[in-house]
């Protein structure tokens, strides 16, 4: 059997897990670059029975899956992957499995972006490289208002750090209750107050049809012109065209982004040249702890599937 490991950008997949436990007749191919669009994906994977995905990097649509008749198993890191059409996989007789994870990398990166923006760390670093010294005045976080769009696992983890910084914390989402917010030491507000009162607005909701475009031009216009927007959730939750215009027009003071509508972000995307942004390439989950769990459990999942005892099944024929 032929096994493909996709989007191993750092070239670490074979180092972080013991793939030798798989049967000797499993031939492994690692793709260390994004394959591209549907036609490129189909051309690259036509001969593979087993495909291991890093979550939400390569799109496995119904159209792509239909053109991969040899495919028997899809394994995604994590137990949810919006880039895979699991119904199409099942209809074609493909088993779709996942892995667990480990660590709190996305919440940690959220604070990296917040601090980088508030204290102008990238700009000061660049100035130091050029021989400069103290070119900006930072924004203190104490007594500022941290607004959380979503207060689930990640939003709650971010709130704990906000409390340590002495921030006032507010939150809103469609399903958030006063009781749930209070449990996290956060005050629930309506969406209008979240937008108008937040000095820092951090996004922690799952991408869905009702959250797509949740922050658009009207919402950005309702924010303070001194406010910072941070998105480590999913790119389409924010209207990126409206965000670029808001940054260019000074409607908000800055944005820290780890996620984008199209990933990898095209080299000529206007966000790359927008003012007052800190950009990272979807690094939230890219940590040693998480990768160890992802790749180790990917091997375990493949091994069990080949033994006829699939584990961590998301969908199956």
């Amino acid at each position: 059997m032929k096994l493909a490991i996709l989007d191993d950008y750092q070239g670490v997949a074979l180092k972080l897990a013991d793939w030798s436990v798989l049967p000797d007749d499993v031939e492994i191919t690692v793709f260390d670059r994004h394959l591209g669009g549907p036609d490129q994906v189909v051309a690259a994977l036509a001969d593979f029975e087993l495909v291991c995905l890093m979550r939400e990097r390569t799109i496995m649509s119904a159209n792509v899956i239909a053109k991969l008749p040899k495919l028997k198993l899809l394994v995604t890191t994590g137990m949810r992957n919006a880039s895979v059409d699991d119904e199409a996989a099942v209809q074609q007789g493909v088993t779709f499995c996942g892995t667990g994870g480990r660590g709190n990398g996305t919440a940690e990166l959220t604070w990296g972006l917040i601090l980088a923006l508030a204290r102008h760390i990238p700009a000061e670093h660049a100035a130091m490289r050029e021989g400069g010294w103290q070119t900006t005045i930072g924004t203190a976080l104490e007594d500022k208002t941290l607004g959380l769009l979503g207060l689930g696992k990640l939003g709650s983890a971010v709130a704990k750090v906000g409390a340590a910084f002495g921030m006032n914390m507010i939150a809103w989402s469609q399903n958030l209750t006063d009781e749930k917010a209070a449990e996290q030491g956060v005050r629930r507000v309506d969406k209008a107050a979240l937008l108008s009162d937040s000095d820092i607005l951090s996004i922690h909701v799952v991408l869905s049809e009702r959250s797509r475009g949740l922050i658009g031009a009207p919402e950005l216009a309702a924010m303070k012109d001194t406010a910072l927007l941070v998105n480590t959730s999913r790119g389409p939750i924010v209207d990126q065209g409206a965000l670029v215009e808001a940054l260019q027009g000074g409607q908000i003071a800055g944005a820290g982004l780890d996620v984008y509508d199209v990933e990898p972000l095209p080299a000529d995307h206007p966000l790359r040249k927008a003012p007052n942004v800190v950009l990272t390439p979807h690094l939230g989950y890219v940590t040693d702890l998480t990768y160890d769990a992802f790749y180790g459990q990917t091997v375990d999942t493949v091994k069990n599937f080949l033994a006829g005892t699939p584990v961590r099944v998301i969908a199956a024929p």
Side-chain angles (χ1 to χ4, degrees):
M1 279 193 162
K2 299 186 71 174
L3 181 152
I5 302 171
L6 302 191
D7 296 309
D8 180 19
Y9 299 154
Q10 296 91 356
V12 296
L14 298 181
K15 301 174 185 177
L16 294 179
D18 182 8
W19 298 83
S20 69
V21 301
L22 300 181
D24 292 339
D25 63 348
V26 175
E27 178 185 340
I28 299 174
T29 301
V30 177
F31 295 88
D32 61 2
R33 289 175 176 82
H34 190 61
L35 294 177
D39 291 343
Q40 289 79 17
V41 173
V42 170
L45 301 181
D47 291 332
F48 289 89
E49 292 89 359
L50 314 168
V51 174
C52 302
L53 307 168
M54 181 59 73
R55 61 177 299 184
E56 296 176 18
R57 290 185 181 175
T58 293
I59 295 176
M60 301 297 292
S61 64
N63 181 53
V64 169
I65 293 170
K67 296 177 181 178
L68 298 175
K70 293 186 178 181
L71 186 62
K72 300 300 180 185
L73 174 69
L74 282 171
V75 183
T76 179
T77 55
M79 288 300 291
R80 180 171 57 211
N81 190 336
S83 296
V84 176
D85 189 324
D86 54 353
E87 292 184 3
V90 169
Q91 290 173 5
Q92 192 162 306
V94 177
T95 299
F96 180 35
C97 297
T99 75
R102 190 179 172 195
N104 208 13
T106 300
E108 293 170 2
L109 184 70
T110 296
W111 278 105
L113 291 172
I114 291 172
L115 292 169
L117 286 165
R119 300 303 298 271
H120 309 289
I121 293 172
E124 291 291 3
H125 172 77
M128 289 285 287
R129 290 282 197 183
E130 298 298 322
W133 188 260
Q134 288 192 2
T135 63
T136 64
I137 298 175
T139 298
L141 299 181
E142 185 177 2
D143 292 330
K144 294 296 193 301
T145 297
L146 173 62
L148 299 161
L149 178 54
L151 196 61
K153 178 182 177 181
L154 291 174
S156 297
V158 171
K160 291 178 181 178
V161 180
F165 279 124
M167 301 186 75
N168 304 309
M169 291 176 296
I170 59 176
W172 173 84
S173 69
Q174 288 96 334
N175 297 325
L176 183 63
T177 64
D178 289 336
E179 293 75 18
K180 171 63 176 177
E183 289 174 3
Q184 304 301 324
V186 177
R187 179 168 58 90
R188 188 185 73 84
V189 296
D190 60 21
K191 183 181 178 183
L194 181 79
L195 296 169
S196 64
D197 294 354
S198 294
D199 294 300
I200 298 167
L201 178 60
S202 190
I203 298 173
H204 302 287
V205 291
V206 174
L207 178 62
S208 66
E209 286 310 307
R210 68 176 183 173
S211 67
R212 187 179 297 271
L214 192 58
I215 302 297
E219 289 76 19
L220 292 165
M223 295 173 65
K224 300 177 182 180
D225 60 9
T226 56
L228 304 173
L229 174 71
V230 176
N231 187 8
T232 57
S233 182
R234 290 294 180 270
I237 295 169
V238 179
D239 182 328
Q240 292 193 184
L243 177 59
V244 170
E245 290 185 7
L247 290 164
Q248 292 173 339
Q251 283 186 322
I252 62 173
L257 306 174
D258 188 46
V259 289
Y260 310 92
D261 287 357
V262 177
E263 297 182 5
L265 188 68
D268 60 351
H269 196 285
L271 274 173
R272 290 187 183 265
K273 296 183 179 179
N276 303 321
V277 295
V278 177
L279 307 176
T280 51
H282 206 152
L283 294 178
Y285 64 97
V286 183
T287 69
D288 50 358
L289 287 179
T290 302
Y291 266 37
D292 282 345
F294 277 177
Y295 283 122
Q297 291 187 29
T298 293
V299 172
D300 177 68
T301 302
V302 173
K303 179 182 177 182
N304 277 278
F305 174 79
L306 294 176
T309 55
V311 295
R312 291 180 289 272
V313 176
I314 299 172

